Amino acid sequence: MTDQLQSGPWLAPGETVDLTNCEREPIHVPGSIQPRGVLLAVSEPDMVVRQVSRNLADVVGVAWDDALGRPLGEVVGVGPADAIARSASAFGDLRERNPVELILDCDGTPCPVDAILHRVAHVGVHPDLPSASTLVVELEPAFGPRPFSFPNTYQAVRGTITELNRASSLQELYDITAQAVRTLTGFDRVMVYRYDADYNGEVVAEAKLPELNSFLGLHYPASDIPAQARALYEKNWVRLINDVTYTPSPLEPVDLPATGAPLDLTYSTLRSVSPIHCEYLQNMGVAASMSISLLRDDKLWGLIACHHYTGPHAPPYATRAAAEFLGSTLSLRLVDRTEDEEHRRALRVRSTMAWLTAAALDEDRPLAETMLGRPGLLDVVPADSVLVNLQGSTGGAGVPLPPEVTAAIAAWVADQDGDVVSTDRLPLVAPQLEVPGDLGCGVLALPLAEGQYVIWTRAEQVHSVDWGGDPHNKAIAEREGDRVRLSPRKSFDRWRETVRNRAEAWTPAELAEAGELRANLLEALYARSRRVARTAITLQRSLLSEPPDPDHLDFAVRYVPASRDSQVGGDWYDVFQQPDGATVLVIGDVVGHDTEAAACMGQLRGLLRGITYDSADSPAGVLTRLDRAIAGLELKTMASVLVARLEQTPAEVAQGVTRLRWSNAGHLPPVVVDADGQIEVLDAARPDLLLGVEPSAPRRDHVLTVSRGATVVLYTDGLVERRDQLFDTGVDQLREELRTLWRSPVAEVADQLLARMVPDRAEDDVALVAVRLNHQLPGI
């Protein structure tokens, strides 16, 4: 793997660095290294030394100017040079094989050295040419016995990994990591440092010597670690400064001969750091430091920051690698936990949005009323208040807002650009509105056509932040000769700031979900303003075919369209037999009431028939396959579906019983009336997730044995739901009606249920399947 040079609006070589320009300091090409080791830049494949650090003789015993232009074997010895060449020529990422453990000849005394290798690509040089990259060799003396061999890095931290896997909270993850890194590396203080959205940092965990004052809970401004430093942390995950008072060892020559430019040290372990940063650490009383990057989606999430106060401190490379491994493990655990929590939250929101989408397309219900119900807009985006202006109706939910505040916020939203408008500090961005922060500090709005809108608001969250020093006084003036230079602050005492005029920030997920809801609202508004073609209704009804007519089963299937003649819906039923003799019953309801819903209904019906007809899958397996097909074919629809099978073995035929096996994807429960008139609503288990929400959602089968003479009833929500009553009330009525109808022929049962429960034209489409298990045996 090769690493390319970077470019940017950097300071000119030799230009003085202070706090006014440190963000433009080219820290990736400092032209020098920390002198705890030495650096050699070697051309390939001839393995000739082209650039070295001035302190080369301290480790190798060869003066830097004598090494230039000579083969690597003449500088470090033939054996070590061969070992470096073998590692450099092996397949794969060069850095993953670090370190190469060498023994150098130091005037007859064997000297153990860790060689850390990486390559730097040459920008503008054709990659097929021999000089397309330079091999960078860094040599660090391995003082004393190595704590453990590098291949056993995992063994060194295995116990800690087990503890991290058992951690039950984020704080426990932080605490375990801080203590383990301190035990492993020997630093006086180890902190887990977490960034906020603006890259201000907070110390969320700490392990330290007992006599040290605590930094736990302190915040540090983003300017303490400039953007270009954070960018390096995302690429090179460990950075050690073993002595903050070190004198840099320059590279000679200044420019790499192959490129005529300074050597890029982004991935160097010895890279010299900014003198401003060293001064900052000295002002804190730190003698040595080490940082380990914590990443999420390849972006810097935080750091493990290590400080030493009693003098220089240089953990060997293998120890640093083990600490880096711990940091990577913590990053993975943080990502796993965050993604798991986000996945559960997103599923809840998607389920709520599915119901809102269905309700929004119901033209007989005022759209504002639908959005403000429960579940409603406050279940999609958590907030203190929500305001709507839809189709001439206005209203709100949550904390009531005075009319003048509502009007002021709505007017401000109307003047903004974008489909989704948001701020977490309205009193600061629009002080002219004079909106009290305790009512409308945070605003998330969906501007819609003709002055319509949806607006969420959050109240001000007054809170205190403990800073490590005054964040508004980041620099002091230092006189150097006849000039004054701005230097990092020297006070890091706890400094408390009260933050006002800020609400809880809207998360990226909340903004995205609000945008998705806006699209659904626009669709609903459009659907409410048009008439659906009669051909769509004809198409829908043509898909509702007659059931089979086996001797041992009597069927009655019914479909009643809603009173909205201009609307088509997504309700459907299906009944068919499989080659093994089982009978499949299907009842479903696609979200929506328009031609798209009817089209999706037709697609789902066809797919389900194709998946089920000659399949050995159980109903749960059928629904799982159908859900994956919805995702794979990008149907972009959601539906509640119940699939059931009436199945018998020869023994069950003789016993006069049948197994009802079913799986329920968000649909209403089946109702069974046995041959003695006992009624059971099969709602003991909650239905599984709707189709079209999560393709990998688990699906369950349920089984009930029913005897001859029993009746099974499947139905859609139009039979039991009314604007003025809950589902449970409608299901209770269905149970009572069946109590008086169960002896009737199954066709009369279906007709009377519709006549009694939907006496006028239905508010919503109704699909109904009733099946009676005859006393006659199959085939007789």
Side-chain angles (χ1 to χ4, degrees), residues 371-393:
M371 293 295 106
L372 296 174
R374 297 303 299 268
L377 294 173
L378 290 177
D379 298 295
V380 176
V381 177
D384 297 306
S385 306
V386 65
L387 313 165
V388 299
N389 179 0
L390 297 168
Q391 293 190 304
S393 297

Side-chain angles (χ1 to χ4, degrees), residues 467-707:
W467 296 94
D470 183 353
H472 307 292
N473 185 21
K474 298 186 286 288
I476 59 174
E478 297 279 3
R479 179 166 293 280
E480 293 184 350
D482 58 355
R483 62 184 293 272
V484 174
R485 181 177 66 87
L486 288 180
S487 169
R489 67 186 186 277
K490 292 186 176 180
S491 173
F492 294 89
D493 292 337
R494 188 178 297 264
W495 191 91
R496 175 160 293 181
E497 179 182 29
T498 300
V499 178
R500 305 192 65 93
N501 293 319
R502 291 283 189 90
E504 179 186 351
W506 310 102
T507 67
E510 289 168 345
L511 295 175
E513 287 154 358
E516 184 179 346
L517 178 64
R518 182 180 186 274
N520 294 342
L521 284 172
L522 289 174
E523 179 184 347
L525 290 168
Y526 174 64
R528 286 169 178 249
S529 66
R530 65 175 182 166
R531 297 185 62 85
V532 177
R534 293 287 184 181
T535 52
I537 299 175
T538 303
L539 172 64
Q540 180 192 25
R541 294 176 183 174
S542 70
L543 293 173
L544 302 175
S545 57
E546 288 298 313
D549 188 25
D551 293 337
H552 66 296
L553 298 174
D554 278 343
F555 290 102
V557 293
R558 301 290 185 267
Y559 176 79
V560 179
S563 58
R564 307 175 304 274
D565 288 339
S566 63
Q567 290 272 351
V568 284
D571 292 24
W572 92 93
Y573 63 78
D574 205 0
V575 180
F576 56 94
Q577 287 188 298
Q578 294 180 288
D580 65 357
T583 301
V584 176
L585 313 176
V586 180
I587 196 84
D589 187 0
V590 173
V591 171
H593 293 97
D594 57 13
T595 52
E596 184 176 352
C600 289
M601 177 272 285
Q603 288 178 304
L604 294 188
R605 178 182 180 276
L607 281 170
L608 196 150
R609 276 197 160 213
I611 290 170
T612 309
Y613 175 70
D614 60 352
S615 169
D617 287 340
S618 70
V622 168
L623 287 175
T624 297
R625 291 177 62 188
L626 181 58
D627 212 6
R628 290 172 181 167
I630 291 172
L633 297 174
E634 298 182 348
L635 297 186
K636 294 181 172 58
T637 189
M638 288 178 284
S640 66
V641 180
L642 188 147
V643 175
R645 266 173 52 101
L646 295 171
E647 51 193 32
Q648 290 180 305
T649 63
E652 289 169 334
V653 171
Q655 296 168 12
V657 297
T658 298
R659 272 173 293 119
L660 173 67
R661 185 186 304 274
W662 77 98
S663 185
N664 189 347
H667 202 76
L668 293 166
V671 178
V672 175
V673 186
D674 69 18
D676 298 320
Q678 297 299 312
I679 299 172
E680 183 177 1
V681 179
L682 304 182
D683 59 357
R686 291 178 60 86
D688 298 325
L689 203 62
L690 291 167
L691 296 181
V693 176
E694 172 51 62
S696 60
R699 305 284 175 195
R700 298 166 296 166
D701 281 311
H702 312 281
V703 180
L704 178 70
T705 300
V706 292
S707 59

Side-chain angles (χ1 to χ4, degrees), residues 122 198 234 313 336 396 410 415 459 499 588 630 651 685 758:
H122 301 158
D198 298 322
E234 291 175 353
H313 187 61
D336 287 345
D415 289 338
V499 178
I630 291 172
V758 192

Side-chain angles (χ1 to χ4, degrees), residues 375-425:
L377 294 173
L378 290 177
D379 298 295
V380 176
V381 177
D384 297 306
S385 306
V386 65
L387 313 165
V388 299
N389 179 0
L390 297 168
Q391 293 190 304
S393 297
T394 60
V399 178
L401 297 183
E404 62 274 14
V405 171
T406 299
I409 294 175
W412 177 78
V413 168
D415 289 338
Q416 308 306 306
D417 295 326
D419 294 340
V420 178
V421 176
S422 69
T423 179
D424 61 358
R425 57 197 79 179

